[in-house]
Amino acid sequence: MAKHETPLLDELEKGPWPSFVSDIKREAASRAKNEKNVEFQIPAEVCEDLLGVVELSYHEGETHWKHGGIVGVFGYGGGVIGRYCDQPQQFPGVAHFHTMRVNQPSGLYYSTDFLRQLCDLWEFRGSGMTNMHGSTGDIVLLGTTTPQLEEVFHELTHKFETDLGGSGSNLRTPSCCLGMSRCEFACYDTQAICHEFTNVYQDFLHRPAFPYKFKFKFDGCPNCCVASIARSDLSFIGLWRDNIRIDQEAVKAYIGGEIPPNGGAHADRDWGKFDIQKEIIDLCPTKCMWMEGDTLKINDKECNHCMHCINAMPRALRIGEDRGCALLLGAKAPILDGAQMGTLIVPFIKVEPPYDPIHELIEKIFDFWMEEGKNRERVGETMKRFGLAKYLEIMDLKPDPRMIKEPRANPYIFWKEEEVPGGWDRKIEDYRSRHQM
Amino acid sequence: MAFISSGYDPKNPMKDRITDIGPKHYEQFLPPVIKKNFGKWLYHEILEPGILMHKAESGDEVYTIRVGTPRIMSVSTIREVCDIADKYCKGHVRWTTRNNLEFMVDSKDLVEPLKQDLTSRKHTGGSYKFPIGGTGACMTNIIHTQGWVHCHTAATDASGTVKSVMDDLFDEFQHMRLPAQLRVSMACCVNMCGAVHCSDIGFVGYHRKPPIIDHYHLDNLCEIPLAVAACPTAAIRPVKVDLPDGKKVNSVAVKNERCMFCGNCYTMCPAMPLSDGSGGDGLIIMVGGKVSNRISDPKFSKVVVAFIPNEPPRWPTLTKTIRQIIDAYSKDAHKYERLGEWAERIGWERFFEKTGLEFSWHLIDDFRDPAYNTWRQSTNFKF
Amino acid sequence: MDEAAARQAIIDGMQAKKGKSKFYFKDLNSMIPEMKTLQVKKLLGQMVNDQILEYWSSGSTTFYGLKGAGKQHSGEGEE
């Protein structure tokens, strides 16, 4: 017998898509039965009360959570999000319902041993509900009481060799696409650099000194599967700068219909026979491809590596071999002055351990932003306030036409005095010797 | 319920403390076939919706079955995932950045039994536990936020709206028949955790009423300077208020016309709630964003529906409107064309015509400087 | 400026602001302009470990406060 009636949530058990309501009920039932005699460290009815409070929200159309900012683990300024229910008498099991962000392994691969241990821990010391994963990438442990925060942290660090992730004005948990582990498009080892940078910048991840959040995200190619260009303050996007490798036999096989285009991504609809002219050459944004007889030609110098032809013919076309990444700075969601995409600040850099040139640049980015950034200003907004040209100068980066969409459409250039012959100090007497008043 | 210590001593928090260790190294979690062929992949194929084959230079093949999840996951269900991964996948499994699960096997013979097994597992209410799909030109799993399950500024529920939309469009998750991939995202308020602002379709919870000010409690619960500073549009100022009982208290006033309904004040001050179940809160729909650089530049999503009411538990207006947009896109767009590329090709005036969505003043940008760049400065439009 | 003086400057600076108990890193950084930003970061971390300061996080932003100061403790039911 359920503790609370949930007629509205029950409607969400219907339909084919996995029901979160069924899943919370599953955990509620498992806790009620407690076959393994777990000594639950938070109320056994936590999942029942979670369903209860969500049902109440479904009736009223209003949330019943309050934010709490004090709770955390000792010495860390992030990693825990405090939550309290505003109906604690009715739903005592979720009176405290704090979230812990646990740093995910790069690429989100797991062994079942690790997951089972994590499940045991979270059943014992928390609600048994998780998010796999949060938007930033962390494993999110959803709902526990204040006294359990330190206990969970102690077990994570001592038994799981795993730390908390970031929140607040910290470096946020870096994240990456699966990269070279299972993708032929990866132009660098996203997992390696993500893991390395997470460790190198641990102090920034746990102890706030930034004006606001800062995110690193690592995309192995311009397809941007972790959306780094839209949501990371420093976005690493894999690129090659030599030639696309072509297997002409495979090109013929695509033309002949032996291999379905785009890895078979359009298989459930009849789009007609594959037409390399229409589907590849005409869609190329730089028009740098053409056929000579049955041979595909690419003028690689004009390629802007948009990935379309490679995505569409993965067996015929492969990324080049001189690989690295571009760095784009300052992406963010709309709040407050509007959304920003990352702006290109480094067109190409090699991604090789120990990554020294990248660390040097990051140090400059952090230093300048910590000194000059206003409270709650993302680094992209700081860059915008100073202007790209000035920002590049401060970062010691050479201006490059690749960094802009177009040159300025106004002539209001703020020349520097040292750029003008003779400087700005002029004597009126000299002028008057040539011009009468 | 007796308290069981992990070994942590609250009186001496620094004793034996381990900090700053980061995550476990990913290498120990890689399936053997992945580890062996790391960085040596040749190409991939989608064998059928949700099933990928990656071919390595060594000749090895890895078969991946992708299944959708609702992101919220109980430890009971994760243990079930582990049971499956132990049985078929040598004890390894991974998640994608869009909350899908991927089961990987190194032999084609295992694909069919694994597929049968996954499809046969259902929750007590009848929904699939592990629906296969989410590859190629389909609607991918919806990434979303916490909603009423955990968030204090949520204007709608995340899991419930997503479940309703995914149920309605389940066929598009399991079939690859759209012009291109369709990435759908959800955020439960305008702060937009996740990349809703660059999705083909995004739906966003939305408050429309400024906070209620609880003068009785405000000065006891909140620091007024913090509440004032929390407001991104400087709409909050400190005031003294006379309560009906004659008491004079410190409180705040909100310039309502400047409120952008973000809830940042409520985060800092619980005496300024803004949720409204009487018709104030609901959702907006944004379309046409993308993060990939493929063919055209990444794009932001644009608001095309200014308001949809909250209709729990199934949000019929929301699901109907999203279907309307997808149907028009699916019918009219060219192969490989993303939703935003389609809208730009046909023009937004045509977009509203083809989708049947209503255009109103709310959709014309008037928020700060970039607004001007979204107005038309040419005669290149269509009748 | 030695460390003890820096610590005192921070405590005095925080206590001097009446009606405000939560401070951005930048606010505290400007209280000891002689010290480099990264040194200030380290010092504040130590003061947290010594239980003189504590963090308060809005989820997106983190503030520093003197331990136990302000109204949040009772507001959040953590007393």
Side-chain angles (χ1 to χ4, degrees):
Chain A
M1 180 64 197
K3 184 174 169 189
H4 307 282
E5 292 290 313
T6 55
L8 293 178
L9 289 181
D10 294 351
E11 288 298 312
L12 289 168
E13 291 204 85
K14 300 169 183 168
W17 188 252
S19 168
F20 70 101
V21 175
S22 299
D23 203 28
I24 301 173
K25 284 188 177 177
R26 177 184 194 174
E27 200 55 32
S30 160
R31 289 179 83 91
K33 246 178 155 178
N34 194 15
E35 278 176 342
K36 288 184 287 179
N37 292 314
V38 178
E39 282 212 60
F40 296 126
Q41 296 293 292
I42 75 164
E45 69 271 24
V46 54
C47 291
E48 303 265 16
D49 281 346
L50 177 61
L51 287 165
V53 72
V54 177
E55 176 75 12
L56 186 63
S57 286
Y58 269 61
H59 278 281
E60 297 172 346
E62 292 174 356
T63 187
H64 281 282
W65 301 104
K66 291 190 295 181
H67 178 74
I70 296 164
V71 293
V73 300
F74 188 74
Y76 277 16
V80 174
I81 309 289
R83 282 286 178 271
Y84 303 91
C85 179
D86 69 9
Q87 291 291 1
Q89 290 81 19
Q90 213 178 334
F91 307 107
V94 293
H96 294 211
F97 200 65
H98 310 315
T99 284
M100 300 186 81
R101 295 184 178 174
V102 178
N103 202 147
Q104 80 287 0
S106 288
L108 307 177
Y109 290 89
Y110 294 95
S111 68
T112 52
D113 288 347
F114 180 84
L115 287 175
R116 285 182 203 279
Q117 283 175 37
L118 196 65
C119 289
D120 291 347
L121 170 66
W122 195 238
E123 178 178 51
F124 172 46
R125 297 198 179 274
S127 71
M129 297 309 300
T130 74
N131 285 157
M132 296 297 281
H133 298 75
S135 297
T136 299
D138 298 281
I139 301 167
V140 173
L141 302 178
L142 209 57
T144 194
T145 58
T146 306
Q148 288 304 313
L149 295 170
E150 287 291 352
E151 306 298 325
V152 173
F153 178 69
H154 191 272
E155 298 213 27
L156 281 174
T157 49
H158 286 76
K159 293 184 190 155
F160 292 73
E161 297 161 45
T162 291
D163 209 329
L164 293 185
S167 66
S169 315
N170 283 322
L171 177 68
R172 299 303 181 84
T173 317
S175 72
C176 62
C177 69
L178 89 173
M180 292 166 73
S181 68
R182 206 198 61 201
C183 183
E184 67 271 29
F185 303 151
C187 297
Y188 67 95
D189 189 344
T190 56
Q191 289 166 285
I193 187 172
C194 183
H195 185 82
E196 167 79 8
F197 279 33
T198 307
N199 281 299
V200 168
Y201 297 105
Q202 278 289 299
D203 190 44
F204 285 103
L205 208 152
H206 301 303
R207 293 167 201 88
F210 291 151
Y212 207 9
K213 61 182 91 166
F214 193 100
K215 300 181 180 182
F216 289 131
K217 290 193 192 294
F218 304 91
D219 271 312
C221 84
N223 284 328
C224 285
C225 289
V226 282
S228 70
I229 200 166
R231 58 194 192 120
S232 62
D233 298 273
L234 190 59
S235 156
F236 297 70
I237 302 178
L239 290 176
W240 67 98
R241 52 181 177 181
D242 55 348
N243 296 347
I244 292 174
R245 291 172 289 167
I246 311 180
D247 175 347
Q248 297 290 355
E249 290 310 308
V251 173
K252 286 184 197 118
Y254 277 105
I255 296 170
E258 291 142 50
I259 310 173
N262 220 93
H266 296 81
D268 291 333
R269 177 151 151 191
D270 182 9
W271 289 95
K273 191 173 179 297
F274 175 69
D275 179 343
I276 195 167
Q277 185 65 40
K278 197 171 125 204
E279 296 187 30
I280 308 294
I281 295 173
D282 291 351
L283 290 181
C284 171
T286 64
K287 305 286 178 265
C288 68
M289 312 175 83
W290 68 98
M291 294 298 294
E292 278 181 26
D294 55 4
T295 305
L296 177 68
K297 296 282 188 185
I298 302 176
N299 179 3
D300 282 279
K301 196 167 172 2
E302 295 308 311
C303 168
N304 72 355
H305 37 254
C306 86
M307 294 298 294
H308 172 61
C309 61
I310 297 178
N311 287 331
M313 303 199 295
R315 286 180 74 167
L317 303 176
R318 301 179 66 197
I319 58 169
E321 290 179 306
D322 180 11
R323 299 170 199 158
C325 78
L327 300 178
L328 293 89
L329 190 87
K332 58 180 278 297
I335 220 110
L336 173 74
D337 258 332
Q340 288 179 217
M341 293 279 182
T343 296
L344 181 68
I345 58 164
V346 175
F348 189 85
I349 193 163
K350 284 281 180 185
V351 188
E352 284 156 3
Y355 314 106
D356 286 340
I358 301 177
H359 285 306
E360 279 163 30
L361 178 60
I362 288 170
E363 207 170 293
K364 278 185 216 151
I365 291 170
F366 283 177
D367 277 354
F368 180 69
W369 183 47
M370 289 195 304
E371 295 296 335
E372 297 295 334
K374 295 180 182 173
N375 291 327
R376 300 183 67 193
E377 184 177 67
R378 295 281 287 266
V379 72
E381 294 168 310
T382 311
M383 172 177 64
K384 211 168 138 190
R385 187 156 54 81
F386 279 80
L388 178 61
K390 181 80 191 159
Y391 191 78
L392 292 172
E393 183 190 331
I394 295 162
M395 292 298 124
D396 273 325
L397 295 168
K398 193 173 172 307
D400 184 308
R402 294 175 186 88
M403 296 169 182
I404 55 168
K405 285 183 199 141
E406 56 189 28
R408 65 194 307 151
N410 62 68
Y412 310 132
I413 300 166
F414 291 100
W415 289 96
K416 289 180 217 149
E417 185 175 8
E418 62 270 24
E419 288 181 301
V420 187
W424 289 349
D425 240 352
R426 290 183 288 166
K427 292 209 160 48
I428 190 67
E429 294 79 10
D430 293 345
Y431 185 83
R432 284 282 158 253
S433 70
R434 300 189 298 276
H435 305 269
Q436 293 182 22
M437 186 62 206
Chain B
M1 158 172 102
F3 184 86
I4 300 172
S5 169
S6 61
Y8 170 73
D9 176 6
K11 292 205 185 69
N12 192 1
M14 293 311 284
K15 188 172 147 260
D16 294 335
R17 195 169 189 83
I18 299 175
T19 67
D20 300 82
I21 55 172
K24 249 180 129 91
H25 199 279
Y26 56 92
E27 218 173 76
Q28 58 201 291
F29 294 137
L30 300 177
V33 61
I34 295 290
K35 200 169 177 177
K36 180 185 161 200
N37 296 291
F38 195 98
K40 307 251 183 253
W41 297 99
L42 275 179
Y43 64 85
H44 73 278
E45 278 171 16
I46 306 170
L47 303 179
E48 56 184 276
I51 304 183
L52 302 151
M53 187 278 288
H54 286 82
K55 182 96 174 173
E57 287 170 11
S58 65
D60 287 352
E61 292 174 346
V62 61
Y63 295 84
T64 302
I65 302 195
R66 182 178 293 171
V67 305
T69 84
R71 187 172 90 145
I72 288 187
M73 217 179 233
S74 68
V75 295
S76 301
T77 299
I78 297 175
R79 286 182 182 130
E80 189 173 346
V81 168
C82 291
D83 291 342
I84 299 167
D86 283 343
K87 188 168 172 197
Y88 299 94
C89 314
K90 301 187 175 156
H92 294 274
V93 65
R94 82 170 282 266
W95 271 264
T96 72
T97 51
R98 297 190 73 86
N99 310 319
N100 297 301
L101 265 165
E102 288 188 336
F103 294 96
M104 279 161 278
V105 294
D106 52 13
S107 154
K108 197 171 185 180
D109 299 337
L110 287 168
V111 171
E112 202 50 39
L114 173 55
K115 194 178 130 188
Q116 297 300 335
D117 190 340
L118 289 167
T119 310
S120 72
R121 293 173 190 255
K122 291 190 172 180
H123 281 296
T124 46
S127 65
Y128 287 106
K129 284 178 179 165
F130 307 111
I132 298 171
T135 55
C138 75
M139 173 177 162
T140 60
N141 193 354
I142 300 179
I143 52 165
H144 62 92
T145 56
Q146 301 287 14
W148 291 334
V149 171
H150 203 248
C151 184
H152 65 293
T153 56
T156 188
D157 190 33
S159 304
T161 53
V162 165
K163 161 80 174 146
S164 301
V165 173
M166 286 307 292
D167 276 343
D168 190 54
L169 290 157
F170 191 64
D171 276 354
E172 301 304 339
F173 175 76
Q174 293 208 309
H175 288 94
M176 305 187 291
R177 59 190 184 194
L178 294 172
Q181 59 169 304
L182 187 84
R183 287 183 178 228
V184 184
S185 312
M186 189 283 164
C188 52
C189 79
V190 293
N191 292 301
M192 296 193 204
C193 322
V196 172
H197 62 297
C198 293
S199 301
D200 293 285
I201 298 181
F203 46 105
V204 180
Y206 205 89
H207 300 287
R208 293 191 299 174
K209 295 187 187 179
I212 316 167
I213 303 165
D214 184 350
H215 297 302
Y216 294 93
H217 294 108
L218 193 136
D219 196 34
N220 294 324
L221 290 176
C222 320
E223 280 173 37
I224 288 170
L226 283 177
V228 169
C231 182
T233 63
I236 302 175
R237 65 179 198 280
V239 289
K240 288 214 186 295
V241 173
D242 294 305
L243 294 180
D245 64 7
K247 232 170 104 187
K248 208 176 183 70
V249 291
N250 294 316
S251 189
V252 298
V254 176
K255 204 173 247 183
N256 286 338
E257 64 277 13
R258 290 182 79 156
C259 179
M260 60 184 291
F261 318 110
C262 68
N264 288 2
C265 53
Y266 181 56
T267 301
M268 300 305 291
C269 175
M272 300 179 72
L274 87 165
S275 279
D276 183 76
S278 68
D281 294 351
L283 299 109
I284 56 168
I285 298 181
M286 305 177 76
V287 308
K290 73 187 197 66
V291 293
S292 159
N293 290 270
R294 185 176 187 173
I295 301 177
S296 66
D297 285 355
K299 299 176 202 306
F300 294 122
S301 316
K302 288 95 186 161
V303 181
V304 294
V305 179
F307 189 73
I308 286 181
N310 260 336
E311 298 168 321
R314 278 280 171 185
W315 282 272
T317 310
L318 174 72
T319 54
K320 184 180 142 273
T321 313
I322 290 175
R323 177 172 278 277
Q324 217 172 308
I325 297 168
I326 294 176
D327 283 350
Y329 160 66
S330 180
K331 214 165 91 185
D332 201 55
H334 296 165
K335 190 178 178 185
Y336 304 112
E337 204 168 47
R338 295 285 291 263
L339 199 149
E341 293 168 328
W342 166 66
E344 283 174 12
R345 176 173 59 81
I346 62 173
W348 287 97
E349 63 272 43
R350 202 60 90 226
F351 170 88
F352 284 97
E353 187 184 304
K354 291 199 186 228
T355 54
L357 299 177
E358 191 194 342
F359 187 80
S360 67
W361 71 267
H362 309 90
L363 308 179
I364 301 175
D365 195 353
D366 58 1
F367 192 75
R368 306 201 173 178
D369 284 349
Y372 169 83
N373 299 317
T374 67
W375 309 338
R376 189 182 310 275
Q377 288 99 22
S378 83
T379 57
N380 296 332
F381 57 85
K382 299 175 181 177
F383 290 107
Chain C
M1 185 182 251
D2 65 7
E3 194 185 307
R7 282 174 178 245
Q8 200 52 49
I10 286 171
I11 295 167
D12 293 347
M14 290 170 99
Q15 282 170 343
K17 296 268 184 211
K18 293 279 171 255
K20 186 178 169 186
S21 74
K22 305 279 171 283
F23 296 82
Y24 288 107
F25 175 80
K26 248 184 123 58
D27 303 339
L28 304 185
N29 197 22
S30 65
M31 289 174 190
I32 31 178
E34 305 86 341
M35 229 171 179
K36 284 206 169 113
T37 304
L38 284 180
Q39 274 177 290
V40 176
K41 176 180 184 337
K42 206 167 151 193
L43 177 69
L44 294 179
Q46 278 163 3
M47 289 173 80
V48 169
N49 284 351
D50 295 342
Q51 307 197 34
I52 299 163
L53 300 181
E54 67 183 0
Y55 297 115
W56 190 91
S57 171
S58 76
S60 65
T61 319
T62 315
F63 298 84
Y64 290 80
L66 289 167
K67 192 171 164 63
K71 292 169 184 168
Q72 269 75 13
H73 282 268
S74 59
E76 293 175 16
E78 290 294 342
E79 273 179 351

